[in-house]
Amino acid sequence: MKRPIVFLILMCSIIFSNSSIAFGSGNDKIPILMYHHLKKSLNNNVVISPDNFENQIKTLKEAGYNSISIQQLFDYLNENKLLPQNPVLITFDDGYLSNYELAYPILKKYNMHAEIFVIVSQILENNEIKSNTNEIPKMTWEQLREMRDTFTIQSHTWNSHNKLVLGNGKLSGAVYGPSYIKGTLETKKMYEERVISDFIRSKEVIKAKLGYEPIAISYPFGIVSNEAIKLAEAAGFKLGFVINNKSIVKDDNPFTLSRITVNGNDTGIELLEKIKNS
């Protein structure tokens, strides 16, 4: 009888030791990193070279960080599901072709997951013609489908990644509030219909193209209002992201989750320090 008892004790010790390294305290901080575009030999606040990007990802991996998905984050925030130790959420905005050509092989090399918030109207099929050839090239739906093993795609609106003049004369993000459209100030109803139709359309197209429905939106320029949050929730989103350059905790508003802007000039060690101080 001793062997079964010893085996049971051993199994229990393994289970409890594994659960002790899981991440789940309400006070634990989760860094959410925000990238945009990669370009060789260029590093600034929104662009990073592939060499520097690899150095950052390699450093995160060697420091014991485990990349998570937005679905995992949602499950942690809403269903108390545990996350791996030292979780980090890696995100990209806009949907640049460089994410496919340069970031994808690096993330795959280090087995790190990431999310891309795409401006849905700017993602086309291979045989479609882009209307604006002066902008930085974006990925195609075929490329997004190819990257399923590493990326999940979320919404950066259908076509509201621009700024408009509000009723008070100030320039703000297009989803913020009633704005001047072709010289005429929208009514509250017109604003709500414009924004919610944009949000819903972005979700529907991603689902039609990729086979799953996005659960999160990053607001253009990180600008959001209480009205826009209500519209995002009404459209069916479960999480929303802004840019406050701090890590999140479990009690944060799920529709104003902060991200940390990663500077292309940051070394891997400097990025770790930035995360530590966030």
Side-chain angles (χ1 to χ4, degrees), residues 35 38 43 48-62 90 92 102-112 262-264 266-269 271:
Y35 292 93
L38 283 77
N43 293 289
I48 185 169
S49 69
D51 288 342
N52 277 15
F53 181 69
E54 179 164 10
N55 178 259
Q56 291 181 358
I57 296 301
K58 180 181 179 183
T59 303
L60 285 171
K61 189 76 173 181
E62 291 177 346
I90 302 169
F92 292 79
L102 301 174
Y104 176 43
I106 293 170
L107 290 165
K108 194 170 182 178
K109 176 180 177 180
Y110 294 97
N111 193 29
M112 297 287 268
V262 180
N263 194 302
D266 290 339
T267 65
I269 298 300
L271 178 57

PDB file of all heavy atoms in Angstrom, residues 35 38 43 48-62 90 92 102-112 262-264 266-269 271:
ATOM      1  N   TYR A  35       3.421  48.106 -30.571  1.00  0.00           N
ATOM      2  CA  TYR A  35       4.310  48.350 -31.705  1.00  0.00           C
ATOM      3  C   TYR A  35       3.469  48.815 -32.892  1.00  0.00           C
ATOM      4  O   TYR A  35       2.244  48.677 -32.902  1.00  0.00           O
ATOM      5  CB  TYR A  35       5.048  47.068 -32.103  1.00  0.00           C
ATOM      6  CG  TYR A  35       6.058  46.557 -31.099  1.00  0.00           C
ATOM      7  CD1 TYR A  35       5.693  45.619 -30.134  1.00  0.00           C
ATOM      8  CD2 TYR A  35       7.385  46.975 -31.136  1.00  0.00           C
ATOM      9  CE1 TYR A  35       6.619  45.117 -29.224  1.00  0.00           C
ATOM     10  CE2 TYR A  35       8.322  46.485 -30.238  1.00  0.00           C
ATOM     11  CZ  TYR A  35       7.932  45.563 -29.282  1.00  0.00           C
ATOM     12  OH  TYR A  35       8.865  45.081 -28.391  1.00  0.00           O
ATOM     13  N   LEU A  38       7.852  48.120 -38.671  1.00  0.00           N
ATOM     14  CA  LEU A  38       9.273  47.751 -38.648  1.00  0.00           C
ATOM     15  C   LEU A  38       9.920  48.189 -39.954  1.00  0.00           C
ATOM     16  O   LEU A  38       9.327  48.055 -41.033  1.00  0.00           O
ATOM     17  CB  LEU A  38       9.467  46.248 -38.478  1.00  0.00           C
ATOM     18  CG  LEU A  38       9.264  45.656 -37.082  1.00  0.00           C
ATOM     19  CD1 LEU A  38       7.788  45.520 -36.756  1.00  0.00           C
ATOM     20  CD2 LEU A  38       9.969  44.307 -36.952  1.00  0.00           C
ATOM     21  N   ASN A  43      14.884  53.528 -36.197  1.00  0.00           N
ATOM     22  CA  ASN A  43      14.313  53.364 -34.864  1.00  0.00           C
ATOM     23  C   ASN A  43      13.839  54.705 -34.326  1.00  0.00           C
ATOM     24  O   ASN A  43      14.601  55.671 -34.270  1.00  0.00           O
ATOM     25  CB  ASN A  43      15.362  52.783 -33.899  1.00  0.00           C
ATOM     26  CG  ASN A  43      15.760  51.364 -34.251  1.00  0.00           C
ATOM     27  OD1 ASN A  43      14.976  50.438 -34.075  1.00  0.00           O
ATOM     28  ND2 ASN A  43      16.975  51.191 -34.766  1.00  0.00           N
ATOM     29  N   ILE A  48      10.532  50.494 -35.509  1.00  0.00           N
ATOM     30  CA  ILE A  48      11.645  49.760 -34.916  1.00  0.00           C
ATOM     31  C   ILE A  48      12.311  48.906 -35.988  1.00  0.00           C
ATOM     32  O   ILE A  48      11.644  48.358 -36.867  1.00  0.00           O
ATOM     33  CB  ILE A  48      11.162  48.878 -33.726  1.00  0.00           C
ATOM     34  CG1 ILE A  48      12.347  48.215 -33.029  1.00  0.00           C
ATOM     35  CG2 ILE A  48      10.128  47.841 -34.176  1.00  0.00           C
ATOM     36  CD1 ILE A  48      11.971  47.551 -31.704  1.00  0.00           C
ATOM     37  N   SER A  49      13.616  48.816 -35.919  1.00  0.00           N
ATOM     38  CA  SER A  49      14.343  47.971 -36.869  1.00  0.00           C
ATOM     39  C   SER A  49      14.163  46.509 -36.480  1.00  0.00           C
ATOM     40  O   SER A  49      13.962  46.191 -35.300  1.00  0.00           O
ATOM     41  CB  SER A  49      15.833  48.324 -36.865  1.00  0.00           C
ATOM     42  OG  SER A  49      16.429  47.945 -35.632  1.00  0.00           O
ATOM     43  N   PRO A  50      14.220  45.599 -37.435  1.00  0.00           N
ATOM     44  CA  PRO A  50      14.086  44.179 -37.093  1.00  0.00           C
ATOM     45  C   PRO A  50      15.171  43.699 -36.132  1.00  0.00           C
ATOM     46  O   PRO A  50      14.908  42.832 -35.294  1.00  0.00           O
ATOM     47  CB  PRO A  50      14.168  43.470 -38.449  1.00  0.00           C
ATOM     48  CG  PRO A  50      14.698  44.481 -39.411  1.00  0.00           C
ATOM     49  CD  PRO A  50      14.309  45.812 -38.884  1.00  0.00           C
ATOM     50  N   ASP A  51      16.372  44.263 -36.221  1.00  0.00           N
ATOM     51  CA  ASP A  51      17.440  43.871 -35.298  1.00  0.00           C
ATOM     52  C   ASP A  51      17.078  44.240 -33.854  1.00  0.00           C
ATOM     53  O   ASP A  51      17.246  43.431 -32.934  1.00  0.00           O
ATOM     54  CB  ASP A  51      18.754  44.534 -35.687  1.00  0.00           C
ATOM     55  CG  ASP A  51      19.357  43.953 -36.956  1.00  0.00           C
ATOM     56  OD1 ASP A  51      18.957  42.831 -37.339  1.00  0.00           O
ATOM     57  OD2 ASP A  51      20.214  44.617 -37.567  1.00  0.00           O
ATOM     58  N   ASN A  52      16.597  45.465 -33.672  1.00  0.00           N
ATOM     59  CA  ASN A  52      16.220  45.889 -32.325  1.00  0.00           C
ATOM     60  C   ASN A  52      14.993  45.137 -31.828  1.00  0.00           C
ATOM     61  O   ASN A  52      14.879  44.810 -30.642  1.00  0.00           O
ATOM     62  CB  ASN A  52      15.968  47.400 -32.289  1.00  0.00           C
ATOM     63  CG  ASN A  52      17.248  48.185 -32.139  1.00  0.00           C
ATOM     64  OD1 ASN A  52      18.337  47.653 -32.335  1.00  0.00           O
ATOM     65  ND2 ASN A  52      17.138  49.460 -31.795  1.00  0.00           N
ATOM     66  N   PHE A  53      14.065  44.875 -32.748  1.00  0.00           N
ATOM     67  CA  PHE A  53      12.867  44.130 -32.366  1.00  0.00           C
ATOM     68  C   PHE A  53      13.252  42.734 -31.882  1.00  0.00           C
ATOM     69  O   PHE A  53      12.763  42.268 -30.845  1.00  0.00           O
ATOM     70  CB  PHE A  53      11.905  44.041 -33.546  1.00  0.00           C
ATOM     71  CG  PHE A  53      10.625  43.296 -33.234  1.00  0.00           C
ATOM     72  CD1 PHE A  53       9.683  43.831 -32.375  1.00  0.00           C
ATOM     73  CD2 PHE A  53      10.382  42.047 -33.800  1.00  0.00           C
ATOM     74  CE1 PHE A  53       8.511  43.139 -32.072  1.00  0.00           C
ATOM     75  CE2 PHE A  53       9.209  41.360 -33.516  1.00  0.00           C
ATOM     76  CZ  PHE A  53       8.275  41.912 -32.653  1.00  0.00           C
ATOM     77  N   GLU A  54      14.135  42.075 -32.612  1.00  0.00           N
ATOM     78  CA  GLU A  54      14.560  40.735 -32.185  1.00  0.00           C
ATOM     79  C   GLU A  54      15.276  40.791 -30.844  1.00  0.00           C
ATOM     80  O   GLU A  54      15.080  39.911 -29.990  1.00  0.00           O
ATOM     81  CB  GLU A  54      15.457  40.080 -33.230  1.00  0.00           C
ATOM     82  CG  GLU A  54      15.928  38.694 -32.785  1.00  0.00           C
ATOM     83  CD  GLU A  54      16.481  37.837 -33.903  1.00  0.00           C
ATOM     84  OE1 GLU A  54      16.689  38.364 -35.019  1.00  0.00           O
ATOM     85  OE2 GLU A  54      16.699  36.632 -33.664  1.00  0.00           O
ATOM     86  N   ASN A  55      16.082  41.812 -30.643  1.00  0.00           N
ATOM     87  CA  ASN A  55      16.772  41.946 -29.359  1.00  0.00           C
ATOM     88  C   ASN A  55      15.775  42.091 -28.213  1.00  0.00           C
ATOM     89  O   ASN A  55      15.936  41.485 -27.147  1.00  0.00           O
ATOM     90  CB  ASN A  55      17.719  43.150 -29.391  1.00  0.00           C
ATOM     91  CG  ASN A  55      18.420  43.363 -28.055  1.00  0.00           C
ATOM     92  OD1 ASN A  55      18.027  44.220 -27.270  1.00  0.00           O
ATOM     93  ND2 ASN A  55      19.459  42.586 -27.804  1.00  0.00           N
ATOM     94  N   GLN A  56      14.726  42.871 -28.432  1.00  0.00           N
ATOM     95  CA  GLN A  56      13.707  43.052 -27.398  1.00  0.00           C
ATOM     96  C   GLN A  56      12.959  41.754 -27.116  1.00  0.00           C
ATOM     97  O   GLN A  56      12.751  41.376 -25.961  1.00  0.00           O
ATOM     98  CB  GLN A  56      12.730  44.152 -27.813  1.00  0.00           C
ATOM     99  CG  GLN A  56      13.336  45.550 -27.815  1.00  0.00           C
ATOM    100  CD  GLN A  56      12.335  46.610 -28.211  1.00  0.00           C
ATOM    101  OE1 GLN A  56      11.172  46.328 -28.525  1.00  0.00           O
ATOM    102  NE2 GLN A  56      12.752  47.870 -28.200  1.00  0.00           N
ATOM    103  N   ILE A  57      12.533  41.074 -28.184  1.00  0.00           N
ATOM    104  CA  ILE A  57      11.780  39.832 -28.005  1.00  0.00           C
ATOM    105  C   ILE A  57      12.651  38.753 -27.352  1.00  0.00           C
ATOM    106  O   ILE A  57      12.201  38.034 -26.444  1.00  0.00           O
ATOM    107  CB  ILE A  57      11.225  39.337 -29.357  1.00  0.00           C
ATOM    108  CG1 ILE A  57      10.223  40.349 -29.928  1.00  0.00           C
ATOM    109  CG2 ILE A  57      10.582  37.961 -29.211  1.00  0.00           C
ATOM    110  CD1 ILE A  57       9.028  40.635 -29.037  1.00  0.00           C
ATOM    111  N   LYS A  58      13.880  38.649 -27.790  1.00  0.00           N
ATOM    112  CA  LYS A  58      14.810  37.676 -27.205  1.00  0.00           C
ATOM    113  C   LYS A  58      15.023  37.964 -25.719  1.00  0.00           C
ATOM    114  O   LYS A  58      15.034  37.047 -24.894  1.00  0.00           O
ATOM    115  CB  LYS A  58      16.152  37.718 -27.946  1.00  0.00           C
ATOM    116  CG  LYS A  58      17.183  36.736 -27.411  1.00  0.00           C
ATOM    117  CD  LYS A  58      18.493  36.851 -28.181  1.00  0.00           C
ATOM    118  CE  LYS A  58      19.531  35.878 -27.618  1.00  0.00           C
ATOM    119  NZ  LYS A  58      20.840  36.017 -28.316  1.00  0.00           N
ATOM    120  N   THR A  59      15.173  39.237 -25.381  1.00  0.00           N
ATOM    121  CA  THR A  59      15.389  39.620 -23.986  1.00  0.00           C
ATOM    122  C   THR A  59      14.166  39.304 -23.135  1.00  0.00           C
ATOM    123  O   THR A  59      14.291  38.812 -22.003  1.00  0.00           O
ATOM    124  CB  THR A  59      15.734  41.119 -23.882  1.00  0.00           C
ATOM    125  OG1 THR A  59      16.882  41.402 -24.693  1.00  0.00           O
ATOM    126  CG2 THR A  59      16.035  41.515 -22.444  1.00  0.00           C
ATOM    127  N   LEU A  60      12.986  39.581 -23.654  1.00  0.00           N
ATOM    128  CA  LEU A  60      11.759  39.241 -22.931  1.00  0.00           C
ATOM    129  C   LEU A  60      11.689  37.739 -22.672  1.00  0.00           C
ATOM    130  O   LEU A  60      11.367  37.300 -21.563  1.00  0.00           O
ATOM    131  CB  LEU A  60      10.531  39.675 -23.735  1.00  0.00           C
ATOM    132  CG  LEU A  60      10.193  41.162 -23.777  1.00  0.00           C
ATOM    133  CD1 LEU A  60       9.093  41.425 -24.799  1.00  0.00           C
ATOM    134  CD2 LEU A  60       9.767  41.664 -22.399  1.00  0.00           C
ATOM    135  N   LYS A  61      11.997  36.972 -23.703  1.00  0.00           N
ATOM    136  CA  LYS A  61      11.939  35.511 -23.586  1.00  0.00           C
ATOM    137  C   LYS A  61      12.941  35.019 -22.547  1.00  0.00           C
ATOM    138  O   LYS A  61      12.606  34.191 -21.683  1.00  0.00           O
ATOM    139  CB  LYS A  61      12.237  34.886 -24.955  1.00  0.00           C
ATOM    140  CG  LYS A  61      11.995  33.396 -25.031  1.00  0.00           C
ATOM    141  CD  LYS A  61      10.513  33.093 -25.126  1.00  0.00           C
ATOM    142  CE  LYS A  61      10.272  31.615 -25.371  1.00  0.00           C
ATOM    143  NZ  LYS A  61       8.832  31.304 -25.488  1.00  0.00           N
ATOM    144  N   GLU A  62      14.170  35.514 -22.613  1.00  0.00           N
ATOM    145  CA  GLU A  62      15.211  35.066 -21.685  1.00  0.00           C
ATOM    146  C   GLU A  62      14.936  35.524 -20.257  1.00  0.00           C
ATOM    147  O   GLU A  62      15.408  34.897 -19.305  1.00  0.00           O
ATOM    148  CB  GLU A  62      16.572  35.579 -22.161  1.00  0.00           C
ATOM    149  CG  GLU A  62      17.049  34.907 -23.450  1.00  0.00           C
ATOM    150  CD  GLU A  62      18.359  35.467 -23.969  1.00  0.00           C
ATOM    151  OE1 GLU A  62      18.772  36.551 -23.490  1.00  0.00           O
ATOM    152  OE2 GLU A  62      18.974  34.825 -24.841  1.00  0.00           O
ATOM    153  N   ILE A  90       1.690  41.321 -26.389  1.00  0.00           N
ATOM    154  CA  ILE A  90       2.384  42.050 -27.450  1.00  0.00           C
ATOM    155  C   ILE A  90       1.361  42.442 -28.517  1.00  0.00           C
ATOM    156  O   ILE A  90       0.659  41.578 -29.038  1.00  0.00           O
ATOM    157  CB  ILE A  90       3.497  41.198 -28.074  1.00  0.00           C
ATOM    158  CG1 ILE A  90       4.504  40.773 -26.990  1.00  0.00           C
ATOM    159  CG2 ILE A  90       4.206  41.956 -29.202  1.00  0.00           C
ATOM    160  CD1 ILE A  90       5.482  39.711 -27.460  1.00  0.00           C
ATOM    161  N   PHE A  92       0.315  45.060 -32.052  1.00  0.00           N
ATOM    162  CA  PHE A  92       0.692  45.936 -33.159  1.00  0.00           C
ATOM    163  C   PHE A  92      -0.557  46.681 -33.616  1.00  0.00           C
ATOM    164  O   PHE A  92      -1.656  46.123 -33.596  1.00  0.00           O
ATOM    165  CB  PHE A  92       1.238  45.133 -34.345  1.00  0.00           C
ATOM    166  CG  PHE A  92       2.560  44.470 -34.106  1.00  0.00           C
ATOM    167  CD1 PHE A  92       2.637  43.288 -33.381  1.00  0.00           C
ATOM    168  CD2 PHE A  92       3.729  45.027 -34.612  1.00  0.00           C
ATOM    169  CE1 PHE A  92       3.850  42.658 -33.166  1.00  0.00           C
ATOM    170  CE2 PHE A  92       4.957  44.405 -34.389  1.00  0.00           C
ATOM    171  CZ  PHE A  92       5.022  43.222 -33.669  1.00  0.00           C
ATOM    172  N   LEU A 102       8.690  41.113 -41.451  1.00  0.00           N
ATOM    173  CA  LEU A 102       9.797  41.243 -40.508  1.00  0.00           C
ATOM    174  C   LEU A 102       9.486  40.765 -39.087  1.00  0.00           C
ATOM    175  O   LEU A 102      10.305  40.075 -38.470  1.00  0.00           O
ATOM    176  CB  LEU A 102      10.266  42.704 -40.470  1.00  0.00           C
ATOM    177  CG  LEU A 102      10.737  43.281 -41.812  1.00  0.00           C
ATOM    178  CD1 LEU A 102      11.036  44.772 -41.686  1.00  0.00           C
ATOM    179  CD2 LEU A 102      11.965  42.539 -42.322  1.00  0.00           C
ATOM    180  N   ALA A 103       8.307  41.129 -38.549  1.00  0.00           N
ATOM    181  CA  ALA A 103       7.992  40.750 -37.170  1.00  0.00           C
ATOM    182  C   ALA A 103       7.600  39.280 -37.053  1.00  0.00           C
ATOM    183  O   ALA A 103       7.992  38.601 -36.101  1.00  0.00           O
ATOM    184  CB  ALA A 103       6.872  41.632 -36.628  1.00  0.00           C
ATOM    185  N   TYR A 104       6.836  38.804 -38.009  1.00  0.00           N
ATOM    186  CA  TYR A 104       6.315  37.437 -37.953  1.00  0.00           C
ATOM    187  C   TYR A 104       7.417  36.383 -37.795  1.00  0.00           C
ATOM    188  O   TYR A 104       7.347  35.541 -36.877  1.00  0.00           O
ATOM    189  CB  TYR A 104       5.462  37.171 -39.187  1.00  0.00           C
ATOM    190  CG  TYR A 104       4.919  35.772 -39.329  1.00  0.00           C
ATOM    191  CD1 TYR A 104       4.385  35.088 -38.244  1.00  0.00           C
ATOM    192  CD2 TYR A 104       4.925  35.136 -40.578  1.00  0.00           C
ATOM    193  CE1 TYR A 104       3.873  33.805 -38.385  1.00  0.00           C
ATOM    194  CE2 TYR A 104       4.410  33.858 -40.730  1.00  0.00           C
ATOM    195  CZ  TYR A 104       3.886  33.191 -39.632  1.00  0.00           C
ATOM    196  OH  TYR A 104       3.378  31.934 -39.790  1.00  0.00           O
ATOM    197  N   PRO A 105       8.450  36.370 -38.633  1.00  0.00           N
ATOM    198  CA  PRO A 105       9.480  35.329 -38.454  1.00  0.00           C
ATOM    199  C   PRO A 105      10.219  35.424 -37.128  1.00  0.00           C
ATOM    200  O   PRO A 105      10.635  34.402 -36.571  1.00  0.00           O
ATOM    201  CB  PRO A 105      10.426  35.550 -39.646  1.00  0.00           C
ATOM    202  CG  PRO A 105      10.108  36.902 -40.174  1.00  0.00           C
ATOM    203  CD  PRO A 105       8.695  37.190 -39.835  1.00  0.00           C
ATOM    204  N   ILE A 106      10.358  36.628 -36.596  1.00  0.00           N
ATOM    205  CA  ILE A 106      11.043  36.794 -35.310  1.00  0.00           C
ATOM    206  C   ILE A 106      10.188  36.248 -34.177  1.00  0.00           C
ATOM    207  O   ILE A 106      10.656  35.492 -33.314  1.00  0.00           O
ATOM    208  CB  ILE A 106      11.398  38.277 -35.071  1.00  0.00           C
ATOM    209  CG1 ILE A 106      12.457  38.732 -36.083  1.00  0.00           C
ATOM    210  CG2 ILE A 106      11.893  38.495 -33.635  1.00  0.00           C
ATOM    211  CD1 ILE A 106      12.698  40.229 -36.099  1.00  0.00           C
ATOM    212  N   LEU A 107       8.917  36.611 -34.157  1.00  0.00           N
ATOM    213  CA  LEU A 107       8.018  36.115 -33.120  1.00  0.00           C
ATOM    214  C   LEU A 107       7.899  34.593 -33.181  1.00  0.00           C
ATOM    215  O   LEU A 107       7.886  33.907 -32.155  1.00  0.00           O
ATOM    216  CB  LEU A 107       6.642  36.769 -33.266  1.00  0.00           C
ATOM    217  CG  LEU A 107       6.580  38.255 -32.918  1.00  0.00           C
ATOM    218  CD1 LEU A 107       5.283  38.871 -33.436  1.00  0.00           C
ATOM    219  CD2 LEU A 107       6.697  38.469 -31.408  1.00  0.00           C
ATOM    220  N   LYS A 108       7.827  34.070 -34.394  1.00  0.00           N
ATOM    221  CA  LYS A 108       7.725  32.625 -34.578  1.00  0.00           C
ATOM    222  C   LYS A 108       8.990  31.929 -34.070  1.00  0.00           C
ATOM    223  O   LYS A 108       8.920  30.862 -33.449  1.00  0.00           O
ATOM    224  CB  LYS A 108       7.483  32.322 -36.055  1.00  0.00           C
ATOM    225  CG  LYS A 108       7.022  30.912 -36.340  1.00  0.00           C
ATOM    226  CD  LYS A 108       6.580  30.773 -37.790  1.00  0.00           C
ATOM    227  CE  LYS A 108       6.075  29.370 -38.080  1.00  0.00           C
ATOM    228  NZ  LYS A 108       5.591  29.231 -39.468  1.00  0.00           N
ATOM    229  N   LYS A 109      10.131  32.525 -34.325  1.00  0.00           N
ATOM    230  CA  LYS A 109      11.420  31.971 -33.888  1.00  0.00           C
ATOM    231  C   LYS A 109      11.455  31.797 -32.372  1.00  0.00           C
ATOM    232  O   LYS A 109      11.983  30.794 -31.864  1.00  0.00           O
ATOM    233  CB  LYS A 109      12.553  32.889 -34.343  1.00  0.00           C
ATOM    234  CG  LYS A 109      13.934  32.484 -33.875  1.00  0.00           C
ATOM    235  CD  LYS A 109      14.982  33.470 -34.385  1.00  0.00           C
ATOM    236  CE  LYS A 109      16.371  33.138 -33.872  1.00  0.00           C
ATOM    237  NZ  LYS A 109      17.388  34.121 -34.380  1.00  0.00           N
ATOM    238  N   TYR A 110      10.889  32.762 -31.640  1.00  0.00           N
ATOM    239  CA  TYR A 110      10.929  32.728 -30.181  1.00  0.00           C
ATOM    240  C   TYR A 110       9.618  32.220 -29.569  1.00  0.00           C
ATOM    241  O   TYR A 110       9.440  32.300 -28.349  1.00  0.00           O
ATOM    242  CB  TYR A 110      11.280  34.115 -29.637  1.00  0.00           C
ATOM    243  CG  TYR A 110      12.688  34.531 -29.998  1.00  0.00           C
ATOM    244  CD1 TYR A 110      12.932  35.345 -31.099  1.00  0.00           C
ATOM    245  CD2 TYR A 110      13.773  34.074 -29.259  1.00  0.00           C
ATOM    246  CE1 TYR A 110      14.229  35.705 -31.469  1.00  0.00           C
ATOM    247  CE2 TYR A 110      15.079  34.426 -29.601  1.00  0.00           C
ATOM    248  CZ  TYR A 110      15.292  35.242 -30.707  1.00  0.00           C
ATOM    249  OH  TYR A 110      16.588  35.595 -31.055  1.00  0.00           O
ATOM    250  N   ASN A 111       8.743  31.719 -30.430  1.00  0.00           N
ATOM    251  CA  ASN A 111       7.469  31.154 -29.978  1.00  0.00           C
ATOM    252  C   ASN A 111       6.695  32.152 -29.116  1.00  0.00           C
ATOM    253  O   ASN A 111       6.206  31.824 -28.029  1.00  0.00           O
ATOM    254  CB  ASN A 111       7.699  29.851 -29.198  1.00  0.00           C
ATOM    255  CG  ASN A 111       6.418  29.067 -28.993  1.00  0.00           C
ATOM    256  OD1 ASN A 111       5.494  29.142 -29.804  1.00  0.00           O
ATOM    257  ND2 ASN A 111       6.347  28.328 -27.898  1.00  0.00           N
ATOM    258  N   MET A 112       6.583  33.364 -29.612  1.00  0.00           N
ATOM    259  CA  MET A 112       5.873  34.431 -28.908  1.00  0.00           C
ATOM    260  C   MET A 112       4.627  34.826 -29.696  1.00  0.00           C
ATOM    261  O   MET A 112       4.704  35.098 -30.901  1.00  0.00           O
ATOM    262  CB  MET A 112       6.782  35.643 -28.710  1.00  0.00           C
ATOM    263  CG  MET A 112       8.000  35.369 -27.848  1.00  0.00           C
ATOM    264  SD  MET A 112       7.600  35.187 -26.083  1.00  0.00           S
ATOM    265  CE  MET A 112       7.816  36.888 -25.526  1.00  0.00           C
ATOM    266  N   VAL A 262       6.329  51.131 -27.144  1.00  0.00           N
ATOM    267  CA  VAL A 262       7.715  50.656 -27.197  1.00  0.00           C
ATOM    268  C   VAL A 262       8.501  51.543 -28.157  1.00  0.00           C
ATOM    269  O   VAL A 262       8.137  51.693 -29.318  1.00  0.00           O
ATOM    270  CB  VAL A 262       7.790  49.192 -27.660  1.00  0.00           C
ATOM    271  CG1 VAL A 262       9.247  48.728 -27.696  1.00  0.00           C
ATOM    272  CG2 VAL A 262       6.972  48.299 -26.740  1.00  0.00           C
ATOM    273  N   ASN A 263       9.562  52.125 -27.660  1.00  0.00           N
ATOM    274  CA  ASN A 263      10.421  52.958 -28.500  1.00  0.00           C
ATOM    275  C   ASN A 263      11.409  52.069 -29.242  1.00  0.00           C
ATOM    276  O   ASN A 263      12.022  51.172 -28.655  1.00  0.00           O
ATOM    277  CB  ASN A 263      11.171  53.974 -27.635  1.00  0.00           C
ATOM    278  CG  ASN A 263      11.813  55.067 -28.460  1.00  0.00           C
ATOM    279  OD1 ASN A 263      12.625  54.800 -29.352  1.00  0.00           O
ATOM    280  ND2 ASN A 263      11.459  56.300 -28.173  1.00  0.00           N
ATOM    281  N   GLY A 264      11.559  52.309 -30.535  1.00  0.00           N
ATOM    282  CA  GLY A 264      12.478  51.521 -31.332  1.00  0.00           C
ATOM    283  C   GLY A 264      13.920  51.630 -30.876  1.00  0.00           C
ATOM    284  O   GLY A 264      14.742  50.761 -31.172  1.00  0.00           O
ATOM    285  N   ASP A 266      14.825  51.581 -27.744  1.00  0.00           N
ATOM    286  CA  ASP A 266      15.019  50.849 -26.497  1.00  0.00           C
ATOM    287  C   ASP A 266      15.791  49.550 -26.740  1.00  0.00           C
ATOM    288  O   ASP A 266      15.450  48.777 -27.643  1.00  0.00           O
ATOM    289  CB  ASP A 266      13.662  50.482 -25.870  1.00  0.00           C
ATOM    290  CG  ASP A 266      12.914  51.688 -25.332  1.00  0.00           C
ATOM    291  OD1 ASP A 266      13.567  52.719 -25.065  1.00  0.00           O
ATOM    292  OD2 ASP A 266      11.685  51.597 -25.157  1.00  0.00           O
ATOM    293  N   THR A 267      16.817  49.313 -25.955  1.00  0.00           N
ATOM    294  CA  THR A 267      17.448  47.999 -25.969  1.00  0.00           C
ATOM    295  C   THR A 267      16.529  47.028 -25.234  1.00  0.00           C
ATOM    296  O   THR A 267      15.557  47.441 -24.581  1.00  0.00           O
ATOM    297  CB  THR A 267      18.815  48.027 -25.265  1.00  0.00           C
ATOM    298  OG1 THR A 267      18.608  48.329 -23.861  1.00  0.00           O
ATOM    299  CG2 THR A 267      19.730  49.074 -25.879  1.00  0.00           C
ATOM    300  N   GLY A 268      16.839  45.747 -25.308  1.00  0.00           N
ATOM    301  CA  GLY A 268      16.043  44.779 -24.581  1.00  0.00           C
ATOM    302  C   GLY A 268      16.043  45.046 -23.087  1.00  0.00           C
ATOM    303  O   GLY A 268      15.011  44.969 -22.419  1.00  0.00           O
ATOM    304  N   ILE A 269      17.211  45.384 -22.548  1.00  0.00           N
ATOM    305  CA  ILE A 269      17.335  45.672 -21.117  1.00  0.00           C
ATOM    306  C   ILE A 269      16.536  46.921 -20.753  1.00  0.00           C
ATOM    307  O   ILE A 269      15.869  46.973 -19.714  1.00  0.00           O
ATOM    308  CB  ILE A 269      18.815  45.842 -20.710  1.00  0.00           C
ATOM    309  CG1 ILE A 269      19.585  44.540 -20.968  1.00  0.00           C
ATOM    310  CG2 ILE A 269      18.933  46.264 -19.256  1.00  0.00           C
ATOM    311  CD1 ILE A 269      19.059  43.351 -20.190  1.00  0.00           C
ATOM    312  N   LEU A 271      13.892  47.990 -22.266  1.00  0.00           N
ATOM    313  CA  LEU A 271      12.479  47.632 -22.309  1.00  0.00           C
ATOM    314  C   LEU A 271      12.072  46.923 -21.021  1.00  0.00           C
ATOM    315  O   LEU A 271      10.996  47.198 -20.470  1.00  0.00           O
ATOM    316  CB  LEU A 271      12.190  46.739 -23.516  1.00  0.00           C
ATOM    317  CG  LEU A 271      10.737  46.250 -23.650  1.00  0.00           C
ATOM    318  CD1 LEU A 271       9.761  47.428 -23.709  1.00  0.00           C
ATOM    319  CD2 LEU A 271      10.576  45.365 -24.874  1.00  0.00           C
TER     320      LEU A 271
END
